[in-house]
Amino acid sequence: MMKKILKYSGLVCALGLLTACSGGEPSKQDIKDYFVQKNLDMAFMFQHPSTEQRAKFIEQVNKALDIQSYECKEVEGFKKVWDCKINIVAENQPQTATIRFNRDDSGKIHGQEQ
């Protein structure tokens, strides 16, 4: 009986940790994925790239994009909304971007440049 309780408690703790991690402020990977998707949308705005073209483009953007640092602050009065200042180097050009991110109920991150 005690083994079942411990096993169940461990599962509940693990699920709690996963939920906490997926619903928090944007990670560096979330931010990078946002920039990759934005570039992909702009590059193929009126086209339908093949899987191979898409993969090659994503690889190129990932290589050209270096997120140096970022800082996110919760927006007061909102749940799951952050204003983030991001310092990036893209194609050897240093840039600073300010983006408001929000996370929907499914955990997906969305952004809008400020």
Side-chain angles (χ1 to χ4, degrees):
M1 177 70 167
M2 188 63 149
K3 282 185 179 182
K4 284 185 181 181
I5 292 172
L6 289 175
K7 202 180 226 184
Y8 179 74
S9 297
L11 178 62
V12 170
C13 288
L15 289 174
L17 285 173
L18 285 173
T19 303
C21 291
S22 67
E25 78 175 38
S27 67
K28 188 173 185 176
Q29 188 61 50
D30 287 331
I31 294 169
K32 193 165 194 172
D33 290 345
Y34 167 80
F35 281 111
V36 168
Q37 187 61 49
K38 180 181 168 192
N39 280 286
L40 187 65
D41 292 344
M42 287 189 324
F44 296 106
M45 189 177 297
F46 301 109
Q47 303 172 29
H48 297 288
S50 68
T51 304
E52 184 179 302
Q53 289 173 314
R54 184 180 166 90
K56 186 175 180 179
F57 184 81
I58 290 171
E59 183 180 330
Q60 289 172 341
V61 173
N62 272 319
K63 284 181 183 177
L65 184 67
D66 179 22
I67 298 174
Q68 299 276 306
S69 64
Y70 71 98
E71 180 181 355
C72 296
K73 295 181 181 176
E74 272 189 278
V75 176
E76 191 174 330
F78 291 95
K79 295 179 182 177
K80 300 180 186 178
V81 179
W82 303 268
D83 283 337
C84 299
K85 179 181 175 186
I86 304 151
N87 298 309
I88 58 174
V89 176
E91 298 179 347
N92 295 318
Q93 298 292 321
Q95 302 171 36
T96 299
T98 303
I99 301 174
R100 177 165 284 179
F101 287 105
N102 69 294
R103 195 175 292 279
D104 64 22
D105 291 336
S106 69
K108 185 175 180 181
I109 200 90
H110 305 276
Q112 181 179 8
E113 292 193 41
Q114 301 291 302

